[in-house]
Structures are given as structure tokens and as C-alpha cells.
Amino acid sequence: MKDSPVANPLAAAPVYSSALVRAWDSDLGWSFRSSPVAIVSATVALLMILATLAAPLIAPQNPFDSATLNLMDGFTRPGESGIGSQRVFPLGSDEQGRDVLSAILFGSRTSLIIGFVSVLFSMGLGVFLGLVAGYIGGHAGVLIMRVADVQLSFPAILVALLVFGVARGLIPPAVQEKMTLLVMIVAIGLSNWAQYARTVRALTLVEKSKDYVAAAQLIGISPIPLMLRHILPNVLGPVLVIATINLALAILEEATLSFLGVGMPLTQPSLGTLIRFGQQFLFSGEWWILFFPATTLVILALAINLLGDWLRDALNPKLQ
Amino acid sequence: MLAYIFRSVVHGVLVMLAVAFIAFSMFRFVGDPVSNMTGQEATLQDRAELRERLGLDQPFPLQFLNYIGSMLQGDFGMSYRQARPVAALLAERLPATLELAILSALLAAIVGVALGVYTATRRDGWLSHLIMSLSLVGVSLPTFLIGIGLIYIFGVQLQWLPFPGRGDVVKLGWWSTGLLTDRGRLALVMPVITLSLFQMTLIMRLVRAEMLEAMRTDYIRFARARGLPESRVQYRHALRNTMIPVVTITGLQFGSVIAFAIVTETVFQWPGLGALFVNAVQYADFPVMATYLMFVALVFVVVNLLTDFVYLALDPRLRGGSRVPK
Amino acid sequence: MKKSTTLASVLLAVAVLATTAEARSIKWARSGDSLTMDPHAQNEGPTATLAHQIYEPLVTRAVNGDLIPTLAVSWRVLPTDATIWEFTLRPNVKFHNGNAFNADDVVFSINRARSAESDYKGLWASVESVTKINDLTVHIKTKGPNPLLIQNATNTFIMDKEWAESNKVVKVQDYKNKEETYAVRNTNGTGAFILVSREGDVRTVLKRNDNYWGKGTVPLEVTEVIYMPIKADATRLASLLAGEVDIVQDVPVQDIPRLKTQQNLRVVEGPENRTIFLGMDVVSSELKGSDATGKNPLANKKVRQAMSIAINRDAIQRVVMRGQSRPTGTIAPPFISGYTKEMGALPKFDVARAKAMLAEAGYPNGFSTTMHCPNDRYVNDEGICQAVVGMLGAAGVKVNLVSHSKSLHFPMIQKNPPETQFYLLGWGVPTYDSDYIFSFLYHTRQGSRGGWNASRYSNAELDKQIQSLAEETDLAKRGASVAAIWKLLQDETIYIPIHDQMIAYGMKNDITVPVHPDNTIWIKNIAVRRP
């Protein structure tokens, strides 16, 4: 570990890698290295993320450019080639002749984008409001916590549905389809910020009573820089844990919304849309249209969940 | 203390009004019920007349005020789809959803706590790891896939369990229950399992986390030092103290269960509020949609109020009239 | 005397044995529930189909299109006055509560169906008055001669006047009066089945009417009907596979092959009285949202014809519909009068020619447009639209597809002015006559006509011809007019037809139910095969 007698082979590396080295050598790094589950799930998650980011480059086909589709390719079994275009479909093709593998790559990409950005959104909003409520307090703090409480018991799905409905009214119909991605991010983000706010507020209250904060106040540092530069780093740990868990939840929430029909449309689908579309073929024999997207969703959620579990166990001082 | 109660109630009412307003303003974007209520041969004139009879030609603020006004008098309107009073429809469907939701919550709580305790106390066993992994799968699979899967295995292939619907139901006054007949009980099995899975996983992980933390505390160490048998340490001391946050969170999640029931009810053709809502959305049946959303809002406002009162009873600081140090 | 009594008792015994021996209950599942038991309130599929078991109209349409005398045994236009239809009613018919059926009930029912709150009034718009002549004769006077009025009577149900009066359901639900009317959950009809209980979205139970006037003319073997709506496709199919239901009226096309492999199940397929087609704005000067600024490509006949030949209807039939559709070249279903094989002939699929035609029309690089499509109304509607988008894209027409619920889609078409310029629509013809299509889809939108004509097509000369059809009593002359009108409209390509829809029923193999083009089932006609 830190005071290992063996010389650190990376010690000679240039300065910019010292942060990485420190991370690798830290308690957290050791915990990661010694947990096979964490390593496997991190690798899986990373691979999937990279694959989906590179989707436009590595996908055999762009399934959402309708000019490249050939209807006679429809319902090709996995591994066989389509009647229309003679192209091989490694995971089969769907009703319109779209390559399922490509659809999954693009769909995962959409799912991950929505997941990540909505988590960043809820994290940003929740952390900021939590800091304000904890540090500044007062009436604003009470109001924020009240709204957070209300939202925590209101089902996230319904919040997202309401946001969706309002958005549908405010956005002119012509651009509605293109804006769906943005609306999904806002809807899911808004349905999940409360947990961050609550946690950060509780932690901020604890930090507030510490000496370094008093010292900073004496020097004359104004509230906002104080919150952001001094208190924030100390409350980030638990926030990251919540974020990882919420990432999986956000992806699943998006899948449920798409299943209910209000999510991403078929022209720019997410994994949830693919599953909604594929479930009509459950009994009819074209099992691959549902099976592969569903499996992808499960693996993705599983990997992220496992990472989150490991992170929480590793960062929790009481468990060491 | 009175101020606290009053403030809570006022907050609740404000929340309901806000939900009503947002819900109402969304309706325009669900579609036009008049188009669904008139046949192929209806003329523009016919539709305009129906629109006027339904009061849908009035400006939105007026419609909203009318709705709130009649709601306060107990009149929740007529369903456009079924031409019956919404209140009657809600009363008919409520038992189905409540039975499903309560049984699911119970199953989730019992199994969740049991598994949580097991995986906390036998942290390193292979069974623990298996349960934890399976639970993750349970959380990662969409509810409807689980439902259809169960139907396929137990309904079609094995033919052990009946579906769709509630089986044979017995009416007890205003309530209807499936618990008194064999077929009714069997029909409950698959939907209850489907609905409870997500809850169960969350409770299990929560109990496990809380218990693990509790087991590390000083008072547990002292109890062991005193020589108390391990089981007594685990159950009488550690478990008891983890139940409070578990019960609180489970209670607060009840609203979620009712909302999640929408998907389960659709898959199993369960005649509850969720299925009513889905049908209403498809038909643009505004009175039913509005009333359903108000009902869900009411459920969580009531749950929140009850939680507040429980805190009031437990925390003496709140009773003194001082600022709420939440 | 003795002999006849013995004979009578033997026959009675046999009849009793026959009816009690085959106590067969049928569980009937369909995606949508009946919306109400009031027979005049909602003119839509599941509601009317269930009503056909309990109530009866004057005449019924057989599977092959013939009119079957039901509550009316004969009908004619009076030779002395071309505006009066005379109906002779069936004697000795009783309602379920024992009341006798007579002309008073017919007069009452048709007037109720014509009333402002009824959803069937469009079918009786040409009627001026309905009068009872005697207990078994009714005269219906129309505003001008209407030789085809009988075609409109196949779905209008006859109610019992006394029952309606004593239960205060003389008027159809008007929604202003905030109470539920008695007729929403209670019935009194003349049909083969009696309502036992009604639970909306759960089950509606009917029992056989043993005093049915038609006993002996129809099998009438089913003793109990349990109608169960099951919304989720997979659940409905699973119910049939598990034996929980006897017949599923709407089997999704992709599940048909699987059902056919089941030994104990049977699939019956047949054409439906419904055509699926694309509508376009053929008049406006600008196509909104298109890259062809300041122009409307769809207003150019050549463009429309190019788009029509760019669509591979056979491929859609084979892949999207799994063989369950009949590609067609006209929006008229094949059973209606006025349809000819020439009209139905498919335009030849030719993408290269389509591109050439587009170039000739001034769009060498094609153009872009938005298309609106319902996703919960017709069989595989969303799939059809996506396939069309792909095919039009190959020809250079880039389509931005907006797929949404029918609650949003139909209002776009019905609003005046319409809110869509390119859309998918399906159309059925309950009167089995071309006039119905002309009136709703081609006539200028005014008054009671053109309600579904979102193409904005308006031809005053044509309007006059269409209006004259309603009153033309010389059937040969009328036929010639209809043919001429179709010739003009087919050439104009106002709509791009895709196919005639087909329906498939799945059922246990001890019963056979034919597919009726109106997608109606008459349970009284089901004969149960003995093992």
C-alpha cells in the first residue's frame, strides 16, 4: 500500500500522471484492485460506453437513415444474410430490415447520454440546492427541503410524465421530435435531484460547524466561493455514490418511459424504445428483436449497479 | 405545534392544487376526446356541439376553475369513455389496486427484510453473493418483461396460475376481494410478485446496509463483550434499530407502488386504477385522468402528513414552537 | 290428436335435450372493451359488435354482403312515392322483458338514433320523418328520393319504447346531465343473448335467450358468452394459448404462424372492409416544413403518381403484414358497389421511374416533408408508415415521420383547416356503396360532407355529381355516374392507396367463426363441433 517497501515503478513518471498514481495507490485504488467484481463491472461498463460512443464509426449500418434500409431484409435470423441486400446481420434484423446490432449500439448511446446528462443535471441542481439549504439556511433552506421532501415521495415516473406533458405543450410541434432527447434529460433530471439535496444539506450542516469554515469566514471569503471551493470537495464522496446508483436508475427510468410510449421515438430510439418495439415479437418467433436489447439493458444496469455498490462499500469509513 | 400542523396541511393543499393545475394543462396534449366519442359519420357541426356540451370550448382557466369547484362539491365529472360518474369508477377500481399494492408492499417488506438480514449477517457466504446478484437483475429488468415472463412460464406452459384478471371476486359491501376464493388467491400470485420485486430489492439492500452499519457500532460491541448470544445481538438490538428508517422509507414509497402498478395492471389486465388511467389516456378521457392524478397526489400528501405527525410525536423539539431544525 | 300430442312432446323432449346437452360457454377476448350498453351512444367497433348479440337492427349484412331480413322481413320504396321506404316488420318477436315488438318500437328507435346526441345520426341524415302505419308496418320518409337508404340500416338497433320510457332513457346520454343513464349498463333487446352482468374493462356476461325468435334458423348452441377485454397483445395471445379464452378477435399478424402450429387452435383469416392509404394536401400553395420553399410538391399530380409507384406494396404485404393484407390501387374496398378490378389494379413498383417523374415535375433532388401516422389504430400502422418512409426515401422524398396516438391524429384531419398535409388513414364503408367514400373523402368540406377530406380537394362540378347520386333512382344511370367519377378520381391520385386490411381470428378448434368484413361476430351463429 502506501508505505510498501517495493519502489513504485511509476514514481519516475512525469508530474501529470501523479494524480493517477495517487489514485491507484490510495485506499480506494487498492480496494478496487482487490475486488474482482469491481474490476469486471468497471471493464464491462467502460467497454460498453466506448462502443456506444464510437457507434457511428463501428456500427455496420446506420439503422436510422431510412434510405439505407431494404424492407426485404426484414426478420433475418441472427448470423444470416438478408434477402434484400445480402448483408450479414450478426444479431439479426427487425421488421424494417434494421440491423439489431447497430440498433443496440445507437440505442445504448442514446440511453447512456440520457443517463449521464440527466445524472449530471440532477447532481448539479441537487448539490447546489443542498449547499444553499445547508450553508445559508433560513427560509430558502426550509423551502428547498420542503419541496425535496414532497418530491422524494412522489413517484419519479409521474414527475417525469408531468414534465413531459408540460414540455409537449410548450414546444411547437414541428421541433418536438428533435427536442425529445432534451426533454427526457430534463424530465429524468428533475425527478431525481432531491436525494442529492437532502444528503448534501445534511453533510453541509456537519461541515459548517468545523473550524476551517469558521476560519474561511473570518478571512472574509464570500459564501458562494466558500461553498464551492471549500465545502463541496468534502461532501462529494457520498454524492458520487448516489450518482452511480442513480445512473442505473436513470437508464431504467428512461426505458420505462419509452416503454410507456412517451420516451424516445423509433427514429432515434433508446434501449427502452427498442424493447417496447420488440415485445410484440415475444411469442411470434423473432425472439432476437427483444432478447438482445433487453440483455444489453440488463448488463448495463448490472455493471453500473455493481460499480456503485463497490464504491459505496469502499468509501464508507465505517465499514473499514 | 398547532402552527406546525397547520403549515403541513396548507402545504398539502398547495401541492394538490399544483398537481391539478399541471395535470389539467397537459390534457390538451393528450388528444381530443370529442374525436374519439364521435363516429365516422359525425360532421364538424356534431363535434362542435358535443364539445360545447362537454364544456371543452371554454377557455382553459375557466375549465380549471369549474373543475376545482365541482370537485370540492364531490362531483368528479363523468367519464367520456364509459359515460359513468368518475367517483363510481374510482370506487369500483380502488379495491383491486389497493389489494395488489398492499400485498406487494407486505411481500416486499417481509422478504426484503428477511433477505437483508441474512445477507448482512452472513456477509461472505456464497448464497449471500448469489442473492445480491439476483437482486440486481431484478432491479435491472423492466417490470413488464418480468410480468410477461411469469405469465408465459406459469400461465401458458405450466398452467398453474390463472390469468388475466382477478379470478373469482367476492363483494363485501362496497369492497371486492379476491382473497376469499381459490381462483382469486391464485390470480393474485403473479401480479403481486411482479409488482413487489423492485420494492423487495430496495428494501433488502437498505436493511443490509443499515444492519451492517449498526453491527459496527459501540453498543453492539459492548453487547458482545457482555457475552450475549450472537443471535440476540443481531435480532434484538441491531435489527430493531434499523427498522425505523426502513419503515419510514417503505411507507413513503407506497405512492410509488401505486404508480408502478400501472404497468403491472396493464400486463395482467388487472382492473385497478392504473389500468383505468392507461385507458383514459388513450381515449383522452380528461375527467378520469384528472381524478386519478389528484388521487395519487392525495395519497402521498396524506402519507407525508402522517409522517410529519409521527415525527411530531417522536421529536420533542418540534412541539415547542421553535423553528423546525430539519 | 293423441298422435300430434305425442309427436309434440317427443319434439319438445328432443329440443330440450338438444339445448341442455350442449351447454357451451364461450369466452370472447378482444383488445378493446365495449364502451357502453346504450346502442345509440357510440358508433364504434367493440361497442357495436357486443350490441349485435343483445339488440338487433332491421336488416343485417351477411359475410358475403347480402342483406338478411332481421327485424324487418321485407322492404321497398313505395312505387307511388319515391321518397317513402316501407318496412314490413317481423311478427311474434318479444323483447327480453317479454314486451312485444312492434312498429312503435321501430319509430321510437329510429328517431332516437336520429337525435342530436346519438352517434348514429349521420346514417339517417336524409330522413324527414318516421311513421307507424300499423303494428307491423313503418314508413320512413326521406327528404329526397334515397334508393339506398336500406344500406344504412344494418347497424341501427331497435329498442323497446316502453322500457325506454319507464327507465328514463328516451334520450341518449348528453353529458350535460351529470348522471349515468340506465341504458349504460342495462339492456332490453330482441337479440339472441340477454345481458346478465356488466363490469367495464373486466367482463360482460350474456346468457342465451331461449325465447329467441330465430331459434331453429341459427345454431344458437352457445349458452353463455363472457366478453373479456384484454388490452396487452402478449397477454391476450397467452390467454388463447393457455386455453383461458375460446376466441380472440384480433390476433396480431406476427403471432399467426405460431397459433397455426398449435393442435388445439384454429386461425381464420379474411378481408376487412377497410382500406389503408396516404392522404396529401393537393391544394395549398406551400408545404410547411419542406425544403421546397414556397412550393407544394404534393399539389402536382405527377409528384403524387411518382410517390405512388415508389411504394412497394408487395414488400409491405410480405414483410410488414406477414401476408395479411391485399395490396390495392384504389381506396374503395372490393366489396362495395362501384368497385372494379381495373380500379384495384396495382400501379407497377418502379423506383427509377419515380425518380424520373419527380425530376420531370421539377424536383430532380426530391424534397422533404413531414408525415403523420397513428400508432394505435390500424393493424401495424406504425410499421407500414416506417416502411413507406424508407421507400419514399429511396426515391428521393425525405420523410420526417411523426407517429402518435389516434386521439391526436384524427383531430388533425378533422379540424378545419386540417393540421396535417401528409398522413395515413384507414377507411371503411358501412353502406357498401361508393357514395359514402365520395361524400366523406372527396367532396368539398362543407356542411355534412367532406368531414374527412383533409386533402382540401375541391371540385364544384364533382360535388354536384356526388350530390345527385343520393337521389338517382335509375340504378343503371347511377352506376355509370359512379364509374365516371372514379375514373376521374383515380387519375387524379388524390390519395395513394396501400392495401385492404385483413383480420385474423384465433379460436379453439371446436368452433369456427368466419371473418365478417365489418369485423363483427354473431355468437348465435357458432356451431360447436362435437368430438
Side-chain angles (χ1 to χ4, degrees):
Chain A
M1 288 196 305
K2 275 192 228 139
D3 29 34
S4 150
V6 179
N8 189 338
L10 293 169
V15 175
Y16 62 73
S17 73
S18 65
L20 216 63
V21 169
R22 263 185 294 145
W24 194 252
D25 271 352
S26 70
D27 281 339
L28 200 63
W30 177 84
S31 171
F32 180 78
R33 276 179 282 149
S34 58
S35 164
V37 172
I39 296 181
V40 168
S41 48
T43 317
V44 168
L46 203 62
L47 275 177
M48 292 185 81
I49 294 173
L50 284 176
T52 58
L53 281 179
L57 300 171
I58 64 172
Q61 179 196 51
N62 181 350
F64 308 110
D65 179 4
S66 45
T68 61
L69 296 179
N70 187 330
L71 191 61
M72 296 308 292
D73 280 343
F75 299 122
T76 315
R77 301 185 75 82
E80 293 178 5
S81 58
I83 306 177
S85 68
Q86 302 307 319
R87 177 211 310 248
V88 176
F89 293 97
L91 294 182
S93 74
D94 72 0
E95 181 189 65
Q96 301 291 330
R98 283 189 282 258
D99 175 30
V100 171
L101 177 61
S102 309
I104 291 179
L105 283 172
F106 278 90
S108 309
R109 190 161 175 250
T110 312
S111 289
L112 280 170
I113 290 177
I114 294 179
F116 268 117
V117 180
S118 70
V119 165
L120 284 176
F121 181 71
S122 5
M123 200 161 76
L125 183 64
V127 166
F128 180 69
L129 288 178
L131 282 174
V132 166
Y135 186 71
I136 299 179
H139 286 298
V142 171
L143 180 65
I144 292 174
M145 281 303 107
R146 201 67 213 177
V147 176
D149 281 346
V150 159
Q151 185 158 351
L152 271 179
S153 48
F154 206 62
I157 294 287
L158 282 186
V159 172
L161 278 173
L162 285 175
V163 172
F164 223 95
V166 169
R168 184 107 76 97
L170 297 175
I171 300 176
V175 283
Q176 251 176 35
E177 277 248 327
K178 302 191 188 87
M179 299 278 284
T180 312
L181 189 71
L182 194 59
V183 173
M184 288 290 278
I185 291 173
V186 171
I188 298 178
L190 274 182
S191 67
N192 284 326
W193 65 269
Q195 214 176 345
Y196 299 100
R198 242 224 188 140
T199 313
V200 168
R201 178 184 174 276
L203 290 170
T204 309
L205 283 178
V206 170
E207 296 294 308
K208 200 164 120 175
S209 55
K210 291 196 179 159
D211 289 341
Y212 74 92
V213 171
Q217 285 170 332
L218 277 175
I219 303 178
I221 300 183
S222 46
I224 297 201
L226 201 156
M227 287 194 305
L228 294 178
R229 253 189 285 137
H230 296 268
I231 302 185
L232 182 58
N234 294 310
V235 306
L236 221 40
V239 167
L240 281 178
V241 177
I242 300 178
T244 340
I245 297 173
N246 262 341
L247 180 59
L249 282 177
I251 293 179
L252 285 174
E253 195 177 326
E254 187 279 317
T256 312
L257 285 173
S258 296
F259 170 71
L260 288 175
V262 295
M264 300 303 294
L266 264 174
T267 43
Q268 194 191 0
S270 66
L271 285 175
T273 320
L274 293 175
I275 294 177
R276 165 171 79 90
F277 182 67
Q279 56 151 345
Q280 51 181 308
F281 302 107
L282 195 51
F283 287 125
S284 61
E286 288 91 14
W287 53 271
W288 58 91
I289 306 181
L290 174 64
F291 181 74
F292 292 121
T295 314
T296 311
L297 182 65
V298 172
I299 293 178
L300 195 59
L302 206 56
I304 297 175
N305 264 323
L306 285 173
L307 259 182
D309 270 358
W310 163 79
L311 197 62
R312 177 175 45 199
D313 281 353
L315 283 179
N316 191 342
K318 298 186 200 164
L319 289 180
Q320 266 138 33
Chain B
M1 172 166 112
L2 217 55
Y4 181 68
I5 296 180
F6 182 69
R7 234 200 336 246
S8 300
V9 173
V10 167
H11 278 134
V13 170
L14 283 175
V15 162
M16 304 247 333
L17 275 176
V19 168
F21 184 76
I22 297 177
F24 228 76
S25 48
M26 271 171 55
F27 291 160
R28 282 175 287 160
F29 317 116
V30 167
D32 181 14
V34 169
S35 145
N36 283 325
M37 289 163 78
T38 51
Q40 218 174 243
E41 295 97 14
T43 63
L44 269 167
Q45 179 75 356
D46 296 336
R47 289 193 204 102
E49 274 169 14
L50 182 58
R51 202 180 304 276
E52 195 219 311
R53 279 206 300 274
L54 295 175
L56 290 175
D57 56 339
Q58 292 170 327
F60 167 71
L62 199 57
Q63 278 186 51
F64 181 64
L65 287 173
N66 275 337
Y67 179 71
I68 298 288
S70 40
M71 212 183 56
L72 290 173
Q73 293 171 31
D75 169 22
F76 293 93
M78 295 274 289
S79 159
Y80 297 154
R81 183 171 161 257
Q82 296 184 301
R84 295 186 57 208
V86 179
L89 282 174
L90 229 68
E92 266 176 27
R93 306 301 193 95
L94 188 60
T97 299
L98 277 185
E99 217 169 64
L100 184 62
I102 292 176
L103 285 175
S104 302
L106 276 177
L107 183 67
I110 295 173
V111 177
V113 168
L115 288 181
V117 168
Y118 180 80
T119 52
T121 52
R122 308 221 191 307
R123 208 174 146 201
D124 299 312
W126 65 270
L127 192 57
S128 270
H129 284 304
L130 183 67
I131 293 176
M132 290 299 286
S133 318
L134 281 180
S135 75
L136 282 175
V137 174
V139 159
S140 316
L141 264 180
T143 318
F144 58 89
L145 277 185
I146 299 176
I148 296 280
L150 286 177
I151 287 183
Y152 190 68
I153 300 174
F154 295 102
V156 178
Q157 299 288 76
L158 294 172
Q159 300 210 3
W160 286 351
L161 298 171
F163 71 98
R166 293 178 80 190
D168 296 326
V169 167
V170 172
K171 283 188 92 66
L172 301 167
W174 156 81
W175 188 268
S176 63
T177 175
L179 292 170
L180 293 177
T181 60
D182 272 342
R183 217 175 132 84
R185 280 190 288 264
L186 286 176
L188 272 166
V189 173
M190 288 195 286
V192 166
I193 294 180
T194 309
L195 188 57
S196 66
L197 226 49
F198 199 86
Q199 269 297 73
M200 194 189 294
T201 319
L202 289 177
I203 293 179
M204 182 186 87
R205 296 155 80 69
L206 185 65
V207 167
R208 178 176 179 272
E210 292 287 330
M211 256 198 96
L212 284 177
E213 251 183 64
M215 306 263 269
R216 298 266 184 273
T217 54
D218 290 343
Y219 75 92
I220 293 292
R221 262 197 260 143
F222 291 153
R224 284 209 189 96
R226 262 183 66 195
L228 286 175
E230 185 66 12
S231 63
R232 200 159 149 192
V233 168
Q234 286 170 354
Y235 297 112
R236 220 177 123 187
H237 295 275
L239 183 59
R240 259 228 212 126
N241 288 301
T242 65
M243 290 314 286
I244 300 173
V246 169
V247 167
T248 319
I249 295 190
T250 311
L252 287 174
Q253 289 286 311
F254 192 64
S256 272
V257 175
I258 295 206
F260 253 105
I262 292 180
V263 176
T264 311
E265 287 182 17
T266 310
V267 170
F268 289 96
Q269 192 69 22
W270 197 260
L273 293 176
L276 185 67
F277 183 64
V278 167
N279 279 331
V281 169
Q282 226 198 0
Y283 196 82
D285 191 350
F286 298 160
V288 173
M289 288 167 63
T291 314
Y292 172 84
L293 288 170
M294 297 298 285
F295 177 75
V296 174
L298 183 68
V299 165
F300 82 75
V301 160
V302 165
V303 169
N304 256 323
L305 274 180
L306 286 177
T307 320
D308 280 349
F309 293 156
V310 167
Y311 281 161
L312 193 63
L314 291 178
D315 190 342
R317 292 174 292 176
L318 297 172
R319 281 180 242 148
S322 56
R323 272 213 3 236
V324 181
K326 290 185 51 157
Chain C
M1 177 86 152
K2 232 177 166 188
K3 206 167 154 193
S4 57
T5 340
T6 324
L7 188 62
S9 26
V10 167
L11 281 174
L12 185 61
V14 170
V16 165
L17 271 176
T19 46
T20 51
E22 300 123 24
R24 178 77 153 95
S25 166
I26 290 272
K27 288 211 183 85
W28 172 16
R30 190 173 183 173
S31 152
D33 191 16
S34 163
L35 299 177
T36 170
M37 297 280 96
D38 183 328
H40 299 139
Q42 291 270 16
N43 182 0
E44 61 99 50
T47 310
T49 309
L50 193 58
H52 266 290
Q53 319 307 318
I54 304 171
Y55 288 99
E56 295 180 301
L58 291 171
V59 296
T60 317
R61 201 174 292 280
V63 173
N64 62 3
D66 288 344
L67 289 175
I68 308 175
T70 315
L71 286 181
V73 292
S74 69
W75 49 89
R76 61 175 184 156
V77 176
L78 286 187
T80 48
D81 182 347
T83 64
I84 298 188
W85 272 87
E86 178 178 83
F87 287 87
T88 310
L89 306 178
R90 188 176 297 274
N92 302 325
V93 175
K94 289 218 189 317
F95 285 99
H96 297 149
N97 68 352
N99 287 355
F101 159 72
N102 58 29
D104 286 321
D105 303 308
V106 175
V107 171
F108 166 74
S109 301
I110 298 188
N111 280 332
R112 190 173 191 270
R114 286 172 57 205
S115 65
E117 297 87 11
S118 155
D119 208 15
Y120 284 83
K121 62 180 191 282
L123 291 165
W124 299 97
S126 61
V127 168
E128 194 178 282
S129 66
V130 188
T131 7
K132 160 181 172 170
I133 303 299
N134 60 46
D135 265 355
L136 290 180
T137 314
V138 171
H139 278 185
I140 300 185
K141 183 168 170 58
T142 55
K143 293 176 191 148
N146 186 348
L148 295 171
L149 181 69
I150 185 65
Q151 306 285 356
N152 294 21
T154 53
N155 277 328
T156 302
F157 302 104
I158 305 298
M159 295 172 75
D160 178 11
K161 177 165 185 242
E162 289 102 8
W163 178 85
E165 282 166 353
S166 63
N167 287 298
K168 305 196 182 36
V169 288
V170 172
K171 282 188 73 175
V172 183
Q173 174 74 265
D174 69 355
Y175 291 97
K176 263 188 167 145
N177 171 12
K178 300 286 192 82
E179 282 162 13
E180 174 185 337
T181 66
Y182 188 71
V184 168
R185 286 190 292 162
N186 297 283
T187 61
N188 185 27
T190 60
F193 290 93
I194 304 175
L195 181 68
V196 170
S197 71
R198 159 103 178 136
E199 291 170 70
D201 296 330
V202 182
R203 79 171 61 100
T204 308
V205 181
L206 313 175
K207 71 166 193 248
R208 180 172 65 189
N209 174 10
D210 287 318
N211 297 321
Y212 181 53
W213 60 264
K215 189 149 66 165
T217 65
V218 292
L220 205 60
E221 291 181 28
V222 175
T223 49
E224 188 191 34
V225 179
I226 304 178
Y227 180 78
M228 307 164 54
I230 304 180
K231 213 165 167 11
D233 283 347
T235 314
R236 202 162 64 245
L237 195 73
S239 307
L240 188 61
L241 289 170
E244 296 270 352
V245 299
D246 296 282
I247 172 167
V248 166
Q249 198 174 345
D250 37 10
V251 176
V253 296
Q254 59 266 19
D255 297 314
I256 294 176
R258 189 202 165 113
L259 284 183
K260 283 185 174 164
T261 64
Q262 301 286 116
Q263 297 290 14
N264 62 334
L265 295 179
R266 180 208 304 273
V267 176
V268 179
E269 300 151 7
E272 188 183 351
N273 181 353
R274 190 175 303 281
T275 315
I276 307 292
F277 52 89
L278 302 174
M280 296 159 287
D281 178 348
V282 306
V283 163
S284 299
S285 53
E286 187 166 345
L287 185 58
K288 293 200 198 91
S290 166
D291 58 3
T293 45
K295 295 188 278 189
N296 179 5
L298 301 174
N300 184 330
K301 178 163 79 169
K302 201 162 240 187
V303 169
R304 298 198 292 272
Q305 286 169 337
M307 285 164 71
S308 182
I309 66 173
I311 297 179
N312 187 347
R313 295 166 178 81
D314 287 322
I316 293 181
Q317 180 211 41
R318 219 169 325 155
V319 183
V320 176
M321 307 302 293
R322 317 279 192 125
Q324 294 292 309
S325 75
R326 299 212 177 144
T328 178
T330 174
I331 68 172
F335 345 87
I336 71 172
S337 70
Y339 174 87
T340 64
K341 273 224 178 65
E342 290 74 35
M343 277 163 60
L346 286 186
K348 187 166 175 312
F349 169 60
D350 191 338
V351 177
R353 175 104 191 89
K355 282 200 189 140
M357 285 172 78
L358 280 174
E360 285 167 32
Y363 301 98
N365 297 321
F367 60 93
S368 67
T369 177
T370 304
M371 178 163 104
H372 294 102
C373 191
N375 60 11
D376 55 5
R377 176 64 181 103
Y378 308 113
V379 180
N380 274 0
D381 39 17
E382 203 172 21
I384 298 171
C385 286
Q386 288 185 52
V388 164
V389 166
M391 292 165 180
L392 288 178
V397 179
K398 294 159 278 294
V399 178
N400 170 32
L401 179 64
V402 173
S403 171
H404 50 197
S405 165
K406 63 183 193 299
S407 307
L408 290 163
H409 187 72
F410 292 147
M412 286 183 118
I413 297 175
Q414 293 163 347
K415 282 214 179 92
N416 204 20
E419 288 178 357
T420 170
Q421 291 178 292
F422 187 26
Y423 55 94
L424 181 91
L425 186 61
W427 193 255
V429 185
T431 60
Y432 279 51
D433 184 79
S434 292
D435 182 14
Y436 190 84
I437 302 188
F438 297 151
S439 271
F440 283 102
L441 292 175
Y442 285 109
H443 192 287
T444 309
R445 184 173 272 192
Q446 63 184 107
S448 62
R449 296 187 192 259
W452 289 82
N453 179 7
S455 71
R456 294 109 164 137
Y457 180 67
S458 175
N459 180 335
E461 179 58 43
L462 185 73
D463 288 349
K464 280 215 272 290
Q465 288 181 327
I466 296 175
Q467 285 159 27
S468 75
L469 287 178
E471 312 204 337
E472 179 59 69
T473 43
D474 177 345
L475 288 180
K477 195 154 164 256
R478 190 174 189 275
S481 295
V482 166
I485 296 177
W486 272 122
K487 192 155 180 306
L488 168 69
L489 293 173
Q490 286 286 110
D491 179 60
E492 283 291 315
T493 318
I494 309 291
Y495 296 102
I496 297 180
I498 301 184
H499 58 232
D500 296 324
Q501 199 164 266
M502 283 181 72
I503 332 167
Y505 298 163
M507 60 197 84
K508 288 200 177 138
N509 65 1
D510 61 345
I511 58 177
T512 308
V513 179
V515 169
H516 190 286
D518 291 338
N519 203 5
T520 311
I521 296 180
W522 279 272
I523 304 278
K524 66 185 183 187
N525 291 338
I526 295 181
V528 182
R529 197 179 56 187
R530 309 278 147 244

